[in-house]
Amino acid sequence: MDAPALRLDRDRSIVVVVDMQGRLMEMVHRPRLVIDATVRLLRLAELFAVPVVLTEQYPRGLGPTHDVVRAAFDSLSVPRREVVKDAFGCCEEPGFEAALAALRPGLEPRRRQVVLAGIETHICVMQTALALREQGTPTFVCWECTSCRGEEVLAHALGRLRQAGVVVAHHESVGFEWAGDKNHPAFRAMSALFKEGQLP
């Protein structure tokens, strides 16, 4: 059996931003932290040519993606896809697997690596992460890029994700793992990005 992928490989990674929609974003714990960190994660994806999927849960009822996150997503030049869903977990939406396959053609689920951001941690992010792990996909969630309605709920959700084999990471860790070393052409730009704001 192959050893589990504990470190990120930029050539196997896909960033997935789950349901960061207007009305929900106003209700979660530390929304500004989540928005700022997710935007930086998207900028890292751009620097390291990592494709991105953005999902929306029933936008007619919950509203569109938060305008700051939407602007960051729309500005990307890397391959990207959008998925509108009714299912809570992304993997239950047929278009989601199609989007992953299109962004990493020829890479089977066990070879992909998915980096998750989004809300709510204990519902849509949770169900997506668990389903990805069930299919053998190495899955990472950036703790500062996810939240829900209550700090205690968030803590228990992250604990359950860890128990399920999801790697709980920070977006800076993601960037440094994608870079690999200081000689990567994007390293200077990444360092400048991290100097723009303090770590939470």
Side-chain angles (χ1 to χ4, degrees):
M1 181 182 292
D2 292 340
L6 299 178
R7 289 180 294 174
L8 284 156
D9 178 345
R10 60 183 175 270
D11 296 324
R12 296 167 55 193
S13 295
I14 303 171
V15 170
V16 176
V17 178
V18 180
D19 307 347
M20 292 188 68
Q21 291 160 252
R23 254 181 263 182
L24 281 175
M25 284 306 303
E26 296 168 6
M27 300 168 64
V28 301
H29 176 62
R30 298 206 295 182
R32 178 47 55 188
L33 168 65
V34 177
I35 292 164
D36 290 348
T38 300
V39 168
R40 287 211 264 181
L41 179 63
L42 291 174
R43 291 173 67 184
L44 288 170
E46 179 79 4
L47 287 174
F48 293 101
V50 173
V52 178
V53 176
L54 181 141
T55 75
E56 289 185 339
Q57 172 75 28
Y58 183 53
R60 189 174 67 178
L62 296 178
T65 298
H66 189 280
D67 56 354
V68 174
V69 177
R70 165 58 70 178
F73 176 77
D74 287 345
S75 71
L76 295 173
S77 62
V78 296
R80 55 193 170 99
R81 295 285 189 279
E82 294 184 53
V83 177
V84 176
K85 63 188 182 67
D86 292 321
F88 299 123
C90 295
C91 296
E92 281 64 54
E93 193 66 44
F96 183 68
E97 171 57 31
L100 296 182
L103 292 172
R104 288 295 186 198
L107 208 58
E108 63 181 29
R110 289 178 180 274
R111 294 291 298 159
R112 297 177 196 144
Q113 296 177 330
V114 172
V115 179
L116 289 171
I119 60 173
E120 287 188 84
T121 317
H122 66 306
I123 304 173
C124 296
V125 174
M126 175 75 68
Q127 292 187 34
T128 300
L130 296 179
L132 287 167
R133 291 300 301 124
E134 286 169 357
Q135 68 184 29
T137 300
T139 305
F140 302 72
V141 61
C142 292
W143 65 264
E144 75 292 358
C145 298
T146 187
S147 192
C148 48
R149 291 159 293 151
E151 186 174 3
E152 194 168 3
V153 178
L154 174 61
H156 285 290
L158 290 172
R160 184 180 174 195
L161 288 169
R162 287 188 184 95
Q163 289 176 337
V166 175
V167 179
V168 177
H170 187 279
H171 71 275
E172 280 206 12
S173 299
V174 171
F176 275 93
E177 286 171 40
W178 282 341
D181 61 51
K182 69 177 186 62
N183 298 314
H184 189 282
F187 179 76
R188 286 179 181 268
M190 180 181 73
S191 297
L193 173 63
F194 292 154
K195 289 174 183 175
E196 291 178 9
Q198 292 187 337
L199 287 175

